[in-house]
Amino acid sequence: MIEQMTVLSFSHFVQGPAAAQYLADLGADVVKVEPPSGSWERKVGSAGIRLSGRSVTFLAVNRNKRSIVVDLKHPDAKTVLRPLIQQADVLLENYRGGALDRLGLGYDAVREIKHDIIYASATGWGSRGPMAGNPGVDLLVQARSGLVAATGGADSPTAAGTPVVDHHGAALLAMGVLAAYARKLVTGKGTRVETSLLGAGLDLQAESLALYFSGRKTTEDLRRPAELACWAIDPPYGVYRLLDAEVAIALNGPMDDFGAALGDAVLDEYTPSDRRDKRVEYTAAVATALAGMTYQEVADKLRARGFWIEKVATYDDVRVDPQVVEEGLLTGFAVGDEEATVLNHPVRYNGELPPVRRAPAELGEHTVEVLQEAGFSAAEVSAFLSSGVVAAPGPGEGC
């Protein structure tokens, strides 16, 4: 894996911490540099959900890391950070554009300290253009990238329902760091890596955008019945209500015997070209045919003919799904007297998933340890603690 990689992570919210967590899962020594009050996701968890006082948002994206506290506004901050930067392969950050520059930790300043540094930045909108430096969050990017319009259709724009752009942005940032690290191992040179939520939001739609622009489509083409899952794929590709569940029908190929498979004479009258030319009418006919059936009836009829379907699952279903369980895609760890359940690292290597080596750290839990590893003496670390440039939890303290 990448056990020799060292990462200083100046990150908060979800995109940056999740990217650093991917690298930590793969074996990198990731040191999370936090302000005295803690990173944002440590303080303000989504929906106010906490376990033993810990934000679950923080717990979801910060395993396998060490935490140190450094007050970046303190005049001695660079004295503390200089040896850490000199020993690091990667500095990863997702502050708003220009924030670290103002603190003397921008790319040029860090490169003077470590000429072969991999300096990886994730922003909302990118580092150029009229939006550079503006705050960017998942929902706003879903909106501006067209994802909301494409998800719900022109008549009913709908957000994805979970921050998909944040998490895809994290994966892209980690991918960029790994590519830069491979380059460094070969050439000895560092790299400036830049990703954005805007780029991630568009990347999620790579096929759809290519079809739209290359096919010279218009917004009118996004209009479709609520059941259809994608403007560019012919029905019955979509989600339909049954007597006892909802079913997703995904096969986008020869559907000549779809009506016959369901035993529906009305559907059986439609030709293959009707699926596209009369898609509103055809979709309504599919919805009517399915509305009187149970999931088991539909599954028996369609799977026997090779059609691809799945029942629409709730999160409760996901937790006990035998395929999810067998793949080990959910994991957990103790948080005080409670148990956190989080998504596991989603990639196997030689058949194995990377382990949870370290639960998400308490604020400043490793400050003393990391500074001593960087070469500071016990007296120097004590002086830093006294001055307030760094902080560490006292006996029995936790955050």
Side-chain angles (χ1 to χ4, degrees), residues 240-247 293 295 311-312:
Y240 299 86
R241 184 173 296 279
L242 307 175
L243 284 173
D244 60 347
E246 287 80 36
V247 64
M293 299 183 183
Y295 177 76
K311 183 186 288 187
V312 174

Side-chain angles (χ1 to χ4, degrees), residues 46-333:
S46 295
I49 299 172
R50 307 181 81 84
L51 289 181
S52 295
R54 281 81 161 179
S55 157
V56 173
T57 297
F58 176 84
L59 298 176
V61 292
N62 283 291
R63 63 171 172 260
N64 291 333
K65 305 176 188 178
R66 298 192 286 174
S67 168
I68 69 171
V69 169
V70 181
D71 182 353
L72 300 183
K73 297 180 180 180
H74 194 285
D76 292 332
K78 287 192 72 172
T79 300
V80 171
L81 291 171
R82 177 176 289 273
L84 275 66
I85 293 171
Q86 289 172 333
Q87 295 174 15
D89 296 295
V90 181
L91 187 151
L92 185 152
E93 62 93 12
N94 71 320
Y95 278 72
R96 192 183 302 185
L100 286 188
D101 290 277
R102 291 188 291 273
L103 293 168
L105 292 168
Y107 174 60
D108 291 334
V110 169
R111 199 168 172 223
E112 288 183 6
I113 300 171
K114 182 71 179 291
H115 72 90
D116 60 349
I117 194 73
I118 296 168
Y119 194 102
S121 298
T123 60
W125 305 104
S127 60
R128 301 157 185 78
M131 297 287 286
N134 285 16
V137 297
D138 184 283
L139 179 59
L140 302 185
V141 173
Q142 284 195 43
R144 191 167 179 127
S145 68
L147 184 58
V148 169
T151 300
D155 293 323
S156 183
T158 305
T162 189
V164 293
V165 177
D166 269 343
H167 290 281
H168 186 54
L172 294 179
L173 182 58
M175 180 179 73
V177 169
L178 291 172
Y181 188 61
R183 176 176 183 264
K184 181 177 179 178
L185 292 177
V186 173
T187 68
K189 296 179 180 180
T191 305
R192 179 80 164 98
V193 177
E194 298 177 84
T195 67
S196 69
L197 288 176
L198 178 60
L202 292 170
D203 189 60
L204 283 168
Q205 305 171 80
E207 180 197 18
S208 186
L209 290 170
L211 292 168
Y212 186 89
F213 295 135
S214 301
R216 293 171 174 78
K217 299 298 184 180
T218 69
T219 300
E220 187 64 27
D221 293 295
L222 295 182
R223 300 186 188 281
R224 62 186 188 274
E227 291 87 357
L228 296 189
C230 179
W231 68 270
I233 301 179
D234 297 334
Y237 187 92
V239 178
Y240 299 86
R241 184 173 296 279
L242 307 175
L243 284 173
D244 60 347
E246 287 80 36
V247 64
I249 301 174
L251 187 63
N252 181 39
M255 305 289 290
D256 298 354
D257 61 346
F258 183 71
L262 288 176
D264 189 277
V266 173
L267 283 178
D268 207 27
E269 290 295 317
Y270 286 90
T271 67
S273 62
D274 287 339
R275 291 171 49 218
R276 179 172 299 152
D277 299 337
K278 301 178 181 180
R279 70 173 183 168
V280 173
E281 179 185 320
Y282 179 78
T283 302
V286 174
T288 298
L290 293 174
M293 299 183 183
T294 66
Y295 177 76
Q296 193 59 56
E297 289 173 327
V298 172
D300 290 343
K301 291 174 182 290
L302 293 184
R303 285 181 173 154
R305 300 284 189 106
F307 293 110
W308 300 346
I309 73 165
E310 282 295 341
K311 183 186 288 187
V312 174
T314 67
Y315 278 3
D316 289 334
D317 297 326
V318 169
R319 183 165 191 156
V320 296
D321 186 313
Q323 189 63 30
V324 173
V325 172
E326 184 66 25
E327 282 291 302
L329 292 172
L330 294 176
T331 189
F333 46 79

Side-chain angles (χ1 to χ4, degrees), residues 1-20:
M1 298 297 199
I2 53 172
E3 287 83 357
Q4 303 306 311
M5 178 192 286
T6 57
V7 180
L8 286 181
S9 175
F10 296 79
S11 60
H12 56 149
F13 295 94
V14 171
Q15 182 188 21

